[in-house]
Amino acid sequence: MGTLSQRADAVLGIDIGSTNVKVVALDPVGHVVARVRRATPRPVDDPSIDAARLFDTIEEMALEACGERYAVAAACAAGVGEDGVLVDAGLAPLTRALAWFDPRRTDLFEVLRPRLDDADDVGTATDAARTLVGWAWARTQPHAERATAWVALTDYVASQWAATTFLSDTLAARTAAWRPLSRTWHSPRVQATLGSTSLLPTVLPTGSTVGELRSERLRQAGVLAPGALVVAGGHDHPVGGWGVHQLHPGAILDSMGTAEVVVTQTPAPPDAVPESVDVSPGIHNASGATVLRVEELARNVQWASQDPAVAHALGQLISGDAAPDDHLLSRTFQPGAAGGRPPSYAPGAAADPHSRACAVLGALAELGGRAVESVAALTGPGASVYSAGGWARSRGWTDIKQAVTGRTVQAIAEPEVTAVGAALLAARALDWKPDAATGLNPLPC
């Protein structure tokens, strides 16, 4: 193994996703010099996550990313927004992280809802996916009485490396119990779910330095640069959006994967925010805000794909191997919505599988277009829009979106936008000045 003196410094960006964990290494210029991806570690029969196992997985990935050539100068983790664990005084997890999509949340939320004070200043909708539901669940688990703090799953690795608890502010904004504009907790909601605000760690701005990165495993492997830093990351979509913001101030990121998430940085908190838009703190802009809107994407396609003929037509259209017909603008497909409303076809919808597939994709393109317009209305005029995610690399889908919305969008070639955004935050903490375009690789329009 190469010695530390032979290694070049790099920063690590980590994206802890619901399905996969991604680690990228970025050099001081902005080149992505390594990518590592692994499945998010979950038991076969349980969607919850063991934070200690996740920590071990990420350290293994860091070693693989560094290989024989690089040493970690700083690391930053972004990821899922609502999951977390209770920990003891030594930061050992006492509970598993209840996944934001775990079906057990729905019944628990129905019990909790009457006990939650109304709050229109917590920056996000109050529903079963929010962190406060996970708080209430965690308190009922064995050994919860030994807890000294609650730590977000995304922040857990950084907390272990820095030997301290903290909460990134863009994750605090996902709890439905934190007021992002005043940066204060809604104490009655915390007490009704977590039990006490004393279990909540200090909230740190995303992008701030948490402390020195201490890892005996990485040190012994020779991949830890002297004085390496841990940098607060936070919610994945704002971090990815901030990375795109470095390409063009005020740029909008339209990220299309399991869901379609539209996000941007605004120079000041919006005066009036539609109910469909979430607000969290700005990143490296104390007077600004992050605004985002989420729409369902994959679930609607999965529902329509129950008909094998429609599934085949959808694949052909998305890839660009077939052209849409006039049903693209028919509005005869109603997408599913938050709260469990299922997708449906309108009465009189075409029976032809190709036409049905066109109606589905046309409706989803229109829905995504409305999300972009609602976010664009909260930022400056003429904002550039960049697309990312697997769907953004599908020629047929991007053509359909442009045909339906009339908006030209520039695609990001880099597949790990959130991880690169986290790496750019780590680089900024070192006063490096990498080129965001080098890391993200936006494609020509």
Side-chain angles (χ1 to χ4, degrees), residues 22-24 26 30-35 37 387-390 392-393 411-421 436-443:
K22 289 82 71 175
V23 173
V24 301
L26 204 72
H31 295 106
V32 175
V33 295
R35 291 186 188 84
R37 173 189 286 249
S387 64
R393 295 185 289 276
I412 301 291
E414 170 55 47
E416 311 299 353
V417 172
T418 293
V420 171
T438 299
L440 293 170
N441 191 17
L443 300 173

Side-chain angles (χ1 to χ4, degrees), residues 350-378:
D352 175 71
H354 180 79
S355 295
R356 285 203 166 203
C358 289
V360 170
L361 295 180
L364 295 179
E366 182 179 8
L367 186 65
R370 289 202 300 269
V372 170
E373 295 306 322
S374 66
V375 169
L378 301 175

Side-chain angles (χ1 to χ4, degrees), residues 415-440:
E416 311 299 353
V417 172
T418 293
V420 171
L424 290 169
L425 284 172
R428 178 161 176 158
L430 296 171
D431 291 325
W432 290 4
K433 301 189 184 304
D435 179 21
T438 299
L440 293 170

Side-chain angles (χ1 to χ4, degrees), residues 75-261:
C76 177
V80 290
E82 290 79 18
D83 310 8
V85 293
L86 291 171
V87 299
D88 65 16
L91 298 183
L94 298 170
T95 60
R96 290 184 181 271
L98 186 69
W100 64 269
F101 56 83
D102 193 307
R104 289 174 288 185
R105 285 176 170 266
T106 301
D107 291 341
L108 182 54
F109 180 67
E110 290 304 312
V111 175
L112 284 175
R113 190 67 185 96
R115 293 158 43 192
L116 300 177
D117 289 0
D118 290 336
D120 58 5
D121 58 352
V122 293
T124 189
T126 302
D127 57 40
R130 300 298 158 232
T131 307
L132 51 70
V133 178
W135 289 342
W137 177 83
R139 286 181 63 199
T140 68
Q141 301 307 297
H143 312 302
E145 71 282 357
R146 292 166 43 202
T148 60
W150 181 92
V151 179
L153 186 68
T154 290
D155 288 335
Y156 181 76
V157 173
S159 291
Q160 281 283 6
W161 280 340
T164 187
T165 58
F166 74 98
L167 180 59
S168 301
D169 58 4
T170 49
L171 293 175
R174 306 305 295 172
T175 64
W178 194 68
R179 300 178 173 100
L181 297 184
S182 64
R183 299 183 68 86
T184 59
W185 289 107
H186 190 292
S187 295
R189 285 191 162 201
V190 176
Q191 291 165 0
T193 53
L194 186 59
S196 173
T197 55
S198 66
L199 291 172
L200 292 168
T202 300
V203 177
L204 295 180
T206 290
S208 60
T209 298
V210 181
E212 184 177 347
L213 197 166
R214 299 179 178 90
S215 166
E216 187 62 18
R217 186 178 187 181
L218 299 187
R219 188 192 66 79
Q220 288 189 1
V223 303
L224 200 57
L229 300 179
V230 177
V231 178
H235 190 206
D236 48 7
H237 301 301
V239 170
W242 178 83
V244 171
H245 177 76
Q246 307 314 296
L247 297 173
H248 190 284
I252 296 169
L253 172 62
D254 184 1
S255 179
M256 295 173 287
T258 302
E260 182 163 9
V261 182

Side-chain angles (χ1 to χ4, degrees), residues 252-334:
I252 296 169
L253 172 62
D254 184 1
S255 179
M256 295 173 287
T258 302
E260 182 163 9
V261 182
V262 181
V263 59
T264 192
Q265 298 285 310
T266 60
D271 293 329
V273 181
E275 186 176 346
S276 59
V277 173
D278 293 342
V279 178
S280 61
I283 298 177
H284 281 303
N285 181 5
S287 62
T290 302
V291 296
L292 67 86
R293 176 167 164 172
V294 182
E295 299 293 349
E296 299 222 28
L297 188 57
R299 184 170 75 96
N300 288 293
V301 174
Q302 290 165 357
W303 181 89
S305 296
Q306 294 177 95
D307 181 334
V310 174
H312 176 74
L314 285 166
Q316 293 288 100
L317 288 162
I318 291 169
S319 67
D321 292 332
D325 63 22
D326 291 344
H327 287 81
L328 190 68
L329 304 177
S330 66
R331 299 188 177 180
T332 54
F333 175 76
Q334 178 63 51

Side-chain angles (χ1 to χ4, degrees), residues 53-71:
R53 185 179 170 200
L54 175 69
F55 176 76
D56 288 341
T57 298
I58 290 174
E59 289 214 320
E60 291 170 4
M61 296 172 72
L63 291 172
E64 184 177 344
C66 289
E68 299 289 332
R69 296 186 59 189
Y70 297 100

